[in-house]
Amino acid sequence: MTPAATTRPAAGHGDALIALDAVRKSYNIGRPSEAEVLHGIDLRVGRGEFIALMGPSGSGKSTLLNILGLLERMTSGSYRLGGEEVQGLDDAALTLRRRSTLGFVFQFHHLLPAFSALENVTLPALMAEGRVSATHLAHARSLLDAVGLAQAMHKRPSELSGGMQQRVAIARALVMNPPLVLADEPTGNLDTASSSEVFALLRRIHAERGTSFVVVTHDPRLAARCDRLVELVDGRIARDEAITWGAEPAHAG
């Protein structure tokens, strides 16, 4: 089923956590001309939104997510994060903004195999401050409890199932209390049951904490459980619609 096509009005800078205007991204591929991947993206992400980002392979989803995550610089345009223009910031300032504002969940969890679940969750705090404070340690424990891993926090990744490892990765993404989590195919490496459980956990965190989520997914069933669908086609936003829960987005990539 196709959700009701409700086009969302653009939020102003003041009420948007993220505001992209005319964002373009080109790559130099060793030829005299550059290859442009994103062609003038305008996007608003409001505080507390839960957004599915979809599109076929090569549509620019990963590039857009990397720009949102301050992992790549755009070629031109404006990107305001929490009201601050980030385009002119140097690498050190971008790193600080990324640590304080953004959490990341990837398809492959990237847990350190020699570390326990608890130690993996505290890594962002260790990287940001050079040590893990008692406050951060207590927060990490509470997050592992919240994701159902209170009894497994001292186990290493090899002792956990794929779904449990992804829960550790979600707790790690939240340990610095970011207002926005970017999730790139967070259930793409899981079976159907584990995928549904992990996605339900993301939705619960969103409901309880008010954290904003932008979730890249190829699965229309998961996208239908989001509140908004942004679809990229050939580097442009082809659709930006509110989703009626339980309706499956059409033409999903």
Side-chain angles (χ1 to χ4, degrees):
M1 291 185 293
T2 303
T6 305
T7 302
R8 300 180 58 89
H13 287 168
D15 56 1
L17 179 58
I18 281 177
L20 301 185
D21 289 292
V23 167
R24 295 179 178 274
K25 176 63 178 180
S26 299
Y27 293 100
N28 189 327
I29 55 176
R31 300 174 184 172
S33 61
E34 294 183 336
E36 188 170 83
V37 178
L38 298 179
H39 312 294
I41 298 293
D42 297 322
L43 179 67
R44 300 291 185 270
V45 177
R47 297 181 185 277
E49 285 201 277
F50 200 106
I51 298 172
L53 179 60
M54 303 189 77
S57 297
S59 61
K61 299 188 303 298
S62 294
T63 299
L64 178 57
L65 201 71
N66 285 342
I67 288 173
L68 292 178
L70 305 179
L71 299 171
E72 289 189 46
R73 292 182 182 270
M74 57 194 175
T75 303
S76 64
S78 171
Y79 176 9
R80 297 181 69 85
L81 177 60
E84 178 187 14
E85 177 61 57
V86 300
Q87 175 71 331
L89 298 180
D90 61 21
D91 289 345
L94 286 176
T95 297
L96 290 176
R97 290 291 281 142
R98 188 164 53 245
R99 287 176 179 171
S100 64
T101 310
L102 303 171
F104 298 88
V105 182
F106 302 100
Q107 177 178 353
F108 300 100
H109 41 73
H110 301 297
L111 301 180
L112 296 185
F115 283 27
S116 69
L118 180 61
E119 290 168 332
N120 269 284
V121 172
T122 59
L123 273 177
L126 179 63
M127 294 176 64
E129 301 180 9
R131 68 185 188 92
V132 178
S133 68
T135 300
H136 283 132
L137 188 61
H139 186 38
R141 290 177 181 273
S142 70
L143 285 169
L144 284 168
D145 184 31
V147 301
L149 293 177
Q151 304 304 315
M153 64 177 62
H154 297 297
K155 293 185 176 182
R156 294 185 179 182
S158 61
E159 301 175 276
L160 305 175
S161 68
M164 294 170 75
Q165 291 178 48
Q166 195 62 303
R167 291 184 184 194
V168 175
I170 291 168
R172 180 183 59 191
L174 296 169
V175 73
M176 301 301 287
N177 295 313
L180 174 65
V181 171
L182 304 174
D184 191 1
E185 295 282 0
T187 65
N189 201 36
L190 303 176
D191 59 44
T192 301
S194 297
S195 175
S196 182
E197 290 176 1
V198 166
F199 201 84
L201 174 60
L202 297 180
R203 291 272 11 182
R204 195 186 85 210
I205 290 166
H206 167 258
E208 293 177 353
R209 298 172 177 265
T211 307
S212 300
F213 282 84
V214 176
V215 181
V216 172
T217 181
H218 282 93
D219 190 338
R221 295 168 300 178
L222 296 182
R225 295 164 65 180
C226 298
D227 300 324
R228 177 179 165 198
L229 169 65
V230 175
E231 183 179 11
L232 283 185
V233 177
D234 295 332
R236 294 178 172 85
I237 294 180
R239 285 198 300 169
D240 187 350
E241 301 171 357
I243 292 177
T244 301
W245 271 47
E248 185 172 306
H251 311 301

